[in-house]
């Protein structure tokens, strides 16, 4: 199940896959343990800022996420 931008809330649990169709939003998932597939959404924004940058300076494993329309189109497979 893919999430939509209007459903995002800081502190919610999600996977990278669930966030893969949200375009032009900077997001960060933080994980309790390396290797976890579900993390906590700790940042959502329209641009990178000091809060976004701070997540790269701490010890928790994180996944930064940002998708554009072009990224989404690259994953489309056409049958010929």
């Amino acid at each position: 199940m893919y999430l939509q931008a209007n459903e995002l809330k800081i502190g919610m649990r999600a996977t990278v896959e669930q966030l893969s169709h949200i375009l032009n939003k900077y997001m960060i998932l933080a994980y309790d343990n390396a290797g976890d597939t579900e993390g906590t959404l700790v940042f959502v924004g329209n641009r990178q800022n000091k809060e976004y940058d701070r997540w790269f300076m701490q010890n928790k494993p994180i996944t930064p996420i940002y998708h554009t329309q072009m990224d989404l189109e690259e994953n489309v497979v056409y049958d010929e």
Side-chain angles (χ1 to χ4, degrees):
M1 170 182 89
Y2 297 118
L3 294 169
Q4 302 297 317
N6 63 347
E7 298 175 294
L8 299 180
K9 292 183 180 35
I10 298 296
M12 71 184 294
R13 303 287 291 173
T15 65
V16 172
E17 179 66 23
Q18 288 175 306
L19 303 174
S20 65
H21 283 69
I22 297 173
L23 303 179
N24 304 317
K25 288 278 186 200
Y26 290 93
M27 300 170 279
I28 296 178
L29 285 178
Y31 302 94
D32 295 325
N33 302 294
D36 287 352
T37 57
E38 185 178 74
T40 302
L41 188 63
V42 294
F43 181 87
V44 177
N46 293 322
R47 60 186 175 85
Q48 297 175 2
N49 57 25
K50 288 180 184 178
E51 180 186 352
Y52 179 89
D53 292 341
R54 275 194 294 262
W55 281 101
F56 290 87
M57 303 302 186
Q58 50 80 49
N59 293 328
K60 274 189 158 184
I62 63 168
T63 299
I65 302 166
Y66 183 81
H67 300 289
T68 64
Q69 184 65 36
M70 191 166 64
D71 294 332
L72 207 54
E73 290 170 1
E74 287 177 3
N75 294 325
V76 173
V77 177
Y78 298 97
D79 287 336
E80 294 185 25

